[in-house]
Amino acid sequence: MELSTILQPECTTCATPGSKKKVLELISDLAAVQYPSLSSQEIFESLLAREKMGSTGIGNGIAIPHGRLANISQPVAVLIKCEEPIPFDSIDKQPVDILFALLVPADQCEQHLSTLSAMAEKLNDKLILKQLRKTQDESELYQVITQ
């Protein structure tokens, strides 16, 4: 699957959320734009439920929050670059500055796992990660991740 089919430019942002809760709220607000039938609260609760099972902070300043939603038909992604790293209970105990969030239809478990795996692999590429961290705005951030 091409990343540009699930990640829209309006769901890519540079921000300073300050906390894990605030960044999950930001993800929810951005994703709700793609799915007006869902409230940002529903999306937030899905992400929060997953975080309660264990942090999605995978280390090296990266987190991949994700959730399943019954009322969507297509996956939607959100990419956030934090101007200041935030505590995220990551596996390596380091703060997070790059977040790739994925919301998928509840009945698409296989696709969900393969997309998460592909994104984790992409974000583990040191060159891509360095380029993401050097970006100056949302447009540049989107271009780097979708190239």
Side-chain angles (χ1 to χ4, degrees):
M1 170 185 294
E2 282 293 316
L3 186 55
S4 60
T5 62
I6 61 171
L7 178 66
Q8 301 303 312
E10 53 274 5
C11 286
T12 305
T13 192
C14 300
T16 308
S19 71
K20 184 175 185 174
K21 180 180 183 250
K22 294 269 189 220
V23 79
L24 294 177
E25 288 171 345
L26 177 58
I27 290 166
S28 302
D29 291 344
L30 291 170
V33 170
Q34 294 299 308
Y35 281 101
S37 62
L38 290 175
S39 72
S40 59
Q41 186 63 33
E42 287 175 274
I43 297 167
F44 176 75
E45 288 171 7
S46 173
L47 294 170
L48 198 56
R50 173 56 188 84
E51 288 299 320
K52 286 181 180 177
M53 293 175 12
S55 177
T56 57
I58 64 171
N60 200 24
I62 303 164
I64 306 180
H66 52 280
R68 295 185 202 160
L69 296 163
N71 300 331
I72 65 174
S73 58
Q74 296 293 319
V76 64
V78 174
L79 178 65
I80 297 175
K81 175 187 150 192
C82 299
E83 303 297 337
E84 295 292 326
I86 58 170
F88 208 85
D89 305 317
S90 295
I91 195 167
D92 63 358
K93 309 288 186 226
Q94 297 302 309
V96 164
D97 65 338
I98 301 290
L99 295 103
F100 178 84
L102 181 64
L103 299 159
V104 296
D107 62 352
Q108 292 184 10
C109 189
E110 283 288 317
Q111 183 182 20
H112 178 143
L113 295 175
S114 67
T115 304
L116 285 175
S117 176
M119 185 46 57
E121 189 176 313
K122 188 167 195 159
L123 291 173
N124 276 323
D125 181 314
K126 292 183 188 323
L127 180 60
I128 291 172
L129 198 53
K130 186 176 181 178
Q131 289 174 331
L132 288 171
R133 289 187 168 130
K134 283 185 173 184
T135 58
Q136 300 296 309
D137 60 36
E138 287 84 1
S139 175
E140 198 177 342
L141 187 63
Y142 183 78
Q143 290 303 318
V144 169
I145 201 66
T146 57
Q147 67 186 2

